């Protein structure tokens, strides 16, 4: 596996820089080949943990039905049922328009069926005006995050910064307070990097889109040069003002947009920036005839959903011509992935705040730690979703697993941060406990995902010939060990403090091999 690091302030190449630095009379333009020369920077490879903040008008109602995660719903029920029972509270503006949906019933009972979604603008502005952004950033830091990503504009079209590019159909459709700028400052002041999310694929007010079934997932994306110019101007403004370390787009990008030009602009403004993979530009023709054909095909797919192979029933984002990392959502990989990836999911089944959830719907600290270790062992980062309420606060019961992860990282962080995948991601102990591996600068780390049932055990498939030291992170004298014919035997001390996962450090890394 090749690990790449960025050269600070190095332009991607002359063609990519041309549209930014050279005279307007020059004819050079960025190309896909030129932006592809951008290396994944070392900071992102080593960061491992980010916090994904979904904050917007949807944070005022903060409601979605209590259902399983989105991949399970899609697999078991299909797109139409998923959209009517969407677990994502940040999709409130769409789900509330679906006749008979739980969200529509909740809205009618709580606010009255005649209350429009835009009635949440003033309450959001009022609540967010007093948000303690330093405390929000501090929560991310205490969770152990190395970076934060904020939704600057979700599918609802409302911006969290005072943009100079007005929405063509909405007057002053942005927050009064510069939430993007102030949170960016708070995050950076606490030693983390700041990333910005933008929904380039959807802007529901722009074309009055309502997603009811599979066809709408394609047809709801605004087409035409007007929207392409609007989205491009927004993202360039975000880059100019805030210089985000991560440029995180969602759903897709207008087919008429100049993505090589936008990426070149970004990379030359933020030398160690990264872009995700959700920039697919649709090549499907549009028009009444083609839209009708798409609708017919999608309807047929939904009627035959039960015949589709399980592996095809997934929410995926594919087809982008360039990206620095991929972003599977509520998904896991069985083994090491060579290309850098970032697992993204909420603490519960929603990214935005959902007051309808309770602690039973959220990952526990133990589940969060074990999932995180599994992801890191396979070359991934975790971007864990947190939904602040309208006033920017996060309830204590939602903070609990984050802070638990932070405490675990305080002891075990050397096995995680700046690590790389080892020869294999996993094995078990001789008595069956799951183990995940990472590799640091001079040691291999074996993370036990549970406490072994026996105090004495080995690591299956591991040749530890030449190992000179084995220790348990965070515990002085907590382990005895021996090596015989290459086999490592570990004996844990009695009455170890309870922990979610324990890490063995095997030194040096050159002395450890996997023969599986």
């Amino acid at each position: 596996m090749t690990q790449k690091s960025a050269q600070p302030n190095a332009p991607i190449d002359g063609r990519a820089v041309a549209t930014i630095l050279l005279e307007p009379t020059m004819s050079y333009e960025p190309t896909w080949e030129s932006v592809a020369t951008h290396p994944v920077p070392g900071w992102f490879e080593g960061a491992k943990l980010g916090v994904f903040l979904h904050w917007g008008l949807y944070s005022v109602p903060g409601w979605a039905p209590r259902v399983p995660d989105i991949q399970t719903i899609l697999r078991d029920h299909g797109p139409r049922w998923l959209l009517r029972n969407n677990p994502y509270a940040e999709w409130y503006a769409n789900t509330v328009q679906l006749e008979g949906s739980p969200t529509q019933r909740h809205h009618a009972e709580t606010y009255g069926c005649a209350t429009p979604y835009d009635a949440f603008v003033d309450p959001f502005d009022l609540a967010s005006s007093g948000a303690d952004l330093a405390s929000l950033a501090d929560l991310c830091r205490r969770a152990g995050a190395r970076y934060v990503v904020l939704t600057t504009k979700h599918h609802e079209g409302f911006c969290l910064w005072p943009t100079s590019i007005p929405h063509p159909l909405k007057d002053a459709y942005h927050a009064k307070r510069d939430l993007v700028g102030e949170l960016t400052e708070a995050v950076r002041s606490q030693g983390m990097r700041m990333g910005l999310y933008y929904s380039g694929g959807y802007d529901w007010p722009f074309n009055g889109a309502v997603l009811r079934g599979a066809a709408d997932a394609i047809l709801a994306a605004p087409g035409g040069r007007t929207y392409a110019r609007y989205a491009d101007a927004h993202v360039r403004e975000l880059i100019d003002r805030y210089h985000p370390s991560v440029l995180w787009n969602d759903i897709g990008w207008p087919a008429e947009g100049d993505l090589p030009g936008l990426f070149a602009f970004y990379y030359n403004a933020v030398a160690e920036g990264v872009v995700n993979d959700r920039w697919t530009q649709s090549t499907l023709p549009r028009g009444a005839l083609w839209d009708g054909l798409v609708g017919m095909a999608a309807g047929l797919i939904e009627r035959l959903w039960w015949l589709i192979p399980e592996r095809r029933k997934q929410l995926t984002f594919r087809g982008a011509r360039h990206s620095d990392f991929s972003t599977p959502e509520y998904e896991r990989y069985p083994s090491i992935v060579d290309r850098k990836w970032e697992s993204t999911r909420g603490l519960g089944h929603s990214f935005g705040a959902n007051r309808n959830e309770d602690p039973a719907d959220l990952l526990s600290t133990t589940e969060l730690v074990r999932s995180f270790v599994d992801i890191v062992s396979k070359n991934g980062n975790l971007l864990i979703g947190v939904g602040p309420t309208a006033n920017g606060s996060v309830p204590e019961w939602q903070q609990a697993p984050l802070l638990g992860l932070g405490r675990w990282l305080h002891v075990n962080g050397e096995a995680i941060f700046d690590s790389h995948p080892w020869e294999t991601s996993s094995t078990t102990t001789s008595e069956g406990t799951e183990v995940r591996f990472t590799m640091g600068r001079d040691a291999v780390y074996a993370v036990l995902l549970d406490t072994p049932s026996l105090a004495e055990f080995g690591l299956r498939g591991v040749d530890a010939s030449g190992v000179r030291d084995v220790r348990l992170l965070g515990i002085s004298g907590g382990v005895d060990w021996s090596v015989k014919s290459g086999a490592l035997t570990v004996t844990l001390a009695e009455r170890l403090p309870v922990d979610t996962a324990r890490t063995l450090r095997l030194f040096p890394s050159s002395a450890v091999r996997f023969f599986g």
Side-chain angles (χ1 to χ4, degrees):
M1 187 178 309
T2 302
Q3 302 295 334
K4 299 181 289 184
S5 60
Q7 297 179 3
N9 302 317
I12 52 181
D13 76 5
R15 290 174 296 172
V17 180
T19 55
I20 305 163
L21 300 181
L22 299 182
E23 295 294 329
T25 55
M26 300 297 287
S27 59
Y28 299 110
E29 293 183 356
T31 64
W32 287 113
E33 290 75 18
S34 65
V35 297
T37 65
H38 178 262
V40 179
W43 80 261
F44 188 75
E45 293 275 8
K48 307 306 180 187
L49 181 63
V51 173
F52 204 177
L53 298 175
H54 277 62
W55 199 20
L57 299 186
Y58 46 82
S59 306
V60 176
W63 197 93
R66 290 184 68 193
V67 291
D69 70 80
I70 198 165
Q71 297 285 13
T72 299
I73 296 173
L74 181 61
R75 183 182 66 246
D76 294 349
H77 299 287
R80 187 169 294 272
W81 197 94
L82 163 63
L83 288 165
R84 283 172 53 87
N85 298 271
N86 199 325
Y88 288 174
E90 64 273 17
W91 277 62
Y92 191 99
N94 185 79
T95 318
V96 75
Q97 298 182 71
L98 304 186
E99 196 64 36
S101 69
T103 300
Q104 188 181 72
R105 291 195 299 270
H106 167 80
H107 187 81
E109 293 167 0
T110 307
Y111 306 103
C113 57
T115 301
Y117 184 75
D118 285 355
F120 298 133
V121 171
D122 287 342
F124 179 78
D125 273 333
L126 179 62
S128 62
S129 67
D132 185 347
L133 300 183
S135 292
L136 185 57
D138 184 60
L139 172 62
C140 299
R141 180 191 61 80
R142 289 188 292 155
R146 293 286 182 89
Y147 62 104
V148 176
V149 178
L150 172 68
T151 51
T152 66
K153 186 210 79 167
H154 204 262
H155 312 329
E156 63 183 6
F158 185 82
C159 298
L160 296 193
W161 81 101
T163 177
S164 62
I165 299 103
H167 197 287
L169 299 175
K170 298 281 188 179
D171 183 38
Y173 209 51
H174 59 75
K176 291 181 178 178
R177 183 179 177 185
D178 186 0
L179 300 171
V180 175
E182 291 187 41
L183 184 61
T184 295
E185 183 179 352
V187 165
R188 288 174 175 159
S189 71
Q190 300 202 35
M192 297 172 288
R193 294 189 182 242
M194 188 66 182
L196 300 181
Y197 163 111
Y198 184 87
S199 174
Y202 290 154
D203 189 302
W204 294 327
F206 199 93
N207 57 351
V210 181
L211 282 77
R212 295 184 173 87
D216 299 320
I218 300 171
L219 303 178
R225 296 192 180 279
T226 300
Y227 179 69
R229 287 194 295 268
Y230 175 74
D232 183 271
H234 262 172
V235 172
R236 286 174 183 263
E237 185 177 64
L238 289 168
I239 295 167
D240 271 337
R241 290 191 187 182
Y242 310 114
H243 288 76
S245 294
V246 182
L247 197 59
W248 214 103
N249 187 62
D250 204 2
I251 302 299
W253 194 254
E256 298 81 3
D258 174 19
L259 273 184
L262 181 60
F263 289 158
F265 180 78
Y266 173 58
Y267 287 144
N268 285 286
V270 186
E272 290 196 316
V274 289
V275 300
N276 72 332
D277 63 335
R278 301 189 185 189
W279 300 86
T280 304
Q281 293 177 289
S282 175
T283 57
L284 290 174
R286 296 298 298 268
L289 175 60
W290 285 103
D291 289 358
L293 292 174
V294 169
M296 290 173 59
L300 181 62
I301 288 172
E302 293 211 26
R303 285 193 293 274
L304 299 177
W305 190 254
W306 60 281
L307 291 175
I308 297 174
E310 290 290 306
R311 67 182 184 279
R312 300 291 184 185
K313 297 179 181 180
Q314 292 181 329
L315 176 67
T316 59
F317 300 88
R318 298 174 180 167
R321 291 189 63 180
H322 170 74
S323 64
D324 293 309
F325 62 98
S326 61
T327 56
E329 194 160 313
Y330 282 85
E331 279 292 305
R332 297 176 62 182
Y333 288 132
S335 58
I336 296 171
V337 177
D338 287 340
R339 186 168 182 267
K340 189 64 184 177
W341 61 288
E342 177 188 70
S343 175
T344 182
R345 60 154 299 154
L347 276 173
H349 300 317
S350 174
F351 286 95
N354 182 5
R355 68 186 69 201
N356 196 35
E357 287 185 325
D358 66 26
D361 298 309
L362 268 62
L363 291 172
S364 66
T365 294
T366 297
E367 290 169 330
L368 180 56
V369 167
R370 292 174 181 172
S371 174
F372 177 49
V373 171
D374 180 73
I375 289 164
V376 171
S377 74
K378 296 166 183 174
N379 198 33
N381 288 5
L382 171 62
L383 185 62
I384 187 68
V386 179
T389 61
N391 66 11
S393 64
V394 178
E396 289 187 5
W397 57 275
Q398 293 185 23
Q399 293 187 32
L402 293 174
L403 298 178
L405 174 59
R407 288 189 296 271
W408 186 85
L409 283 168
H410 182 72
V411 173
N412 299 273
E414 71 172 82
I416 300 297
F417 299 122
D418 300 313
S419 69
H420 302 293
W422 188 49
E423 297 174 11
T424 185
S425 63
S426 60
T427 188
T428 62
T429 66
S430 53
E431 48 73 66
T433 298
E434 287 288 329
V435 179
R436 297 293 180 269
F437 293 105
T438 64
M439 185 171 68
R441 184 165 55 92
D442 58 1
V444 170
Y445 297 91
V447 184
L448 311 176
L449 298 188
D450 204 346
T451 301
S453 58
L454 300 175
E456 184 176 289
F457 58 87
L459 300 177
R460 296 184 189 277
V462 173
D463 181 350
S465 300
V467 165
R468 299 201 300 270
D469 183 59
V470 177
R471 63 183 175 88
L472 199 61
L473 296 188
I475 302 292
S476 177
V479 61
D480 290 325
W481 62 278
S482 62
V483 176
K484 185 175 182 179
S485 300
L488 174 68
T489 299
V490 174
T491 304
L492 297 180
E494 295 182 3
R495 300 175 183 174
L496 287 175
V498 175
D499 204 349
T500 54
R502 298 197 175 279
T503 304
L504 293 170
R505 180 181 184 271
L506 313 181
F507 174 85
S509 57
S510 59
V512 192
R513 291 288 181 267
F514 187 73
F515 58 85

